[in-house]
Amino acid sequence: DAIEKLVANEDFERALRYIKPNLNWEEFSVAMRACKTKEEFKSTLAYDAVMTVAKNTTFSLTISGRSRLPKDKAACTFISNHRDIVLDASFLNVMLYDVGYGMTQVAIGDNLLIRPWIETLVRLNNSFIVKRGVSVRQMLEVSKTLSAYIHHAIKNVNESVWIAQREGRAKDSDDRTQGSVLKMLSIGGDKDNLLLNLMDLNIVPVAISYEFDPCDFLKAWEFQLKRDHPDYKKSTADDLKNMQTGLFGYKGRVHFHIASCINDLLAGLDRKMPRQELFSTVSAMIDREIHRGYRLYPCNYVAADLLAGTDVYAGHYTIDDKQKFESYLASQLLRITLENKDEAFLRTKMLEMYANPLKNHLKAMEV
């Protein structure tokens, strides 16, 4: 029924033609109808669509740390930094599939279900919905249900889960795990101890590194809007523009790094640790693993030097690298059409996006 809804939906067809302009819709409809399970749909049609995006918008898509994946395909909870609304989980899934591990279930915010067909599509792709914008009173119940489902997927269904380390993307690329995410994960287990509930989820940090973020100018744009209008909130149209720009913009080299499951680290913690201390300690553990796992590119070093007005990292890039990045930066800034455009502020914000991964990586490697 879900597939029939999609086949008949003109918006879905139009969206897919952005990815595959020469698509034969009749042949594609037959292929859609041939899928009898979500697994078939993901491993054939969804896989092909994601790889088409990768081929058209990246220089390379790579993964490291495969040997750290749980043995015998044991289910785990992948927690990663969040760069792109759609592609973080999508790229991870196709690479996990390629190495024979299997795809994950994906946590996706209901604010992104902008059209009815999008909800149908993400559910076909084995995603589950995270309710956002609920009242404080409802939040605990919503969190309990979500957490119980994730524990069920890991322990009873043996299907891995992907969830971002925070609600929404880190606009400045200063990636930090929100304690509220860990709190949610810990309350749905069947143990009386929050630490043991977290250990049941087999948390595996994943570091995502995009050489170029196609949405960098949109994120800088949003920074100025929030600075000038403290009550500013993104509209549905803004979310859609971010999704489209992230999907179809050029990303250069994209790398995913799988860290080790943190259960060995968690086992060394005091089970009686106060809850807030527990969540901040585990957040710091995940952050350290993610920061250590970044793949750094010349633009990260160039941005750090431009931001500080130094040439401390000049050994990590050429004059050509620097010129190309400055040219890229200028072209992205031109795409911002604010009335009271603060060029210096916007440029600084974009430089911070590229410098912060380097800053956090160097700090994590000192520990």
Side-chain angles (χ1 to χ4, degrees), residues 201-219:
L201 293 176
N202 303 322
I203 294 172
V204 174
V206 179
I208 303 176
S209 308
Y210 288 72
E211 184 174 14
F212 299 105
D213 180 350
C215 293
D216 49 19
F217 75 100
L218 292 173
K219 292 174 181 177

Side-chain angles (χ1 to χ4, degrees), residues 212-221 245 249-250 325-337 341 343 346-347 350 353-354:
F212 299 105
D213 180 350
C215 293
D216 49 19
F217 75 100
L218 292 173
K219 292 174 181 177
W221 194 330
T245 305
Y250 183 66
F325 182 66
E326 290 193 282
S327 175
Y328 167 80
L329 208 62
S331 66
Q332 290 295 84
L333 285 167
L334 281 174
R335 300 174 73 178
I336 300 173
T337 54
K341 185 173 174 180
E343 189 101 18
L346 294 166
R347 186 173 185 273
M350 285 184 63
M353 291 174 207
Y354 289 95

Side-chain angles (χ1 to χ4, degrees), residues 92 288 315:
L92 176 63
R288 190 163 58 249

Side-chain angles (χ1 to χ4, degrees), residues 122-138:
V122 298
R123 288 193 182 280
L124 269 175
N125 274 296
N126 224 11
S127 297
F128 55 96
I129 311 304
V130 178
K131 291 182 181 176
R132 299 259 177 86
V134 296
S135 68
V136 176
R137 198 176 66 184
Q138 291 173 296

Side-chain angles (χ1 to χ4, degrees), residues 153 201 225 264 308 310 321 343 363:
L201 293 176
L225 283 171
D264 286 347
T310 64
D321 288 329
E343 189 101 18
K363 189 174 180 182

Side-chain angles (χ1 to χ4, degrees), residues 63-125:
I63 189 168
S64 59
R66 290 174 289 180
S67 63
R68 299 188 191 94
L69 288 168
K71 304 301 179 218
D72 304 318
K73 298 186 183 179
C76 62
T77 304
F78 293 103
I79 296 185
S80 78
N81 54 319
H82 197 14
R83 286 285 179 271
D84 184 85
I85 294 172
V86 178
L87 292 175
D88 290 347
S90 302
F91 281 161
L92 176 63
N93 266 336
V94 296
M95 288 190 289
L96 289 175
Y97 183 78
D98 279 346
V99 300
Y101 180 76
M103 298 190 186
T104 70
Q105 293 194 36
V106 174
I108 182 169
D110 62 0
N111 59 306
L112 303 178
L113 307 180
I114 295 162
R115 306 274 190 272
W117 67 264
I118 294 179
E119 179 166 359
T120 305
L121 180 63
V122 298
R123 288 193 182 280
L124 269 175
N125 274 296

Side-chain angles (χ1 to χ4, degrees), residues 85 111-112 114-115 117-118 218 234-247:
I85 294 172
N111 59 306
L112 303 178
I114 295 162
R115 306 274 190 272
W117 67 264
I118 294 179
L218 292 173
K234 274 198 307 181
S235 66
T236 299
D238 291 328
D239 278 333
L240 198 56
K241 186 172 184 180
N242 273 268
M243 288 167 76
Q244 289 174 332
T245 305
L247 270 170

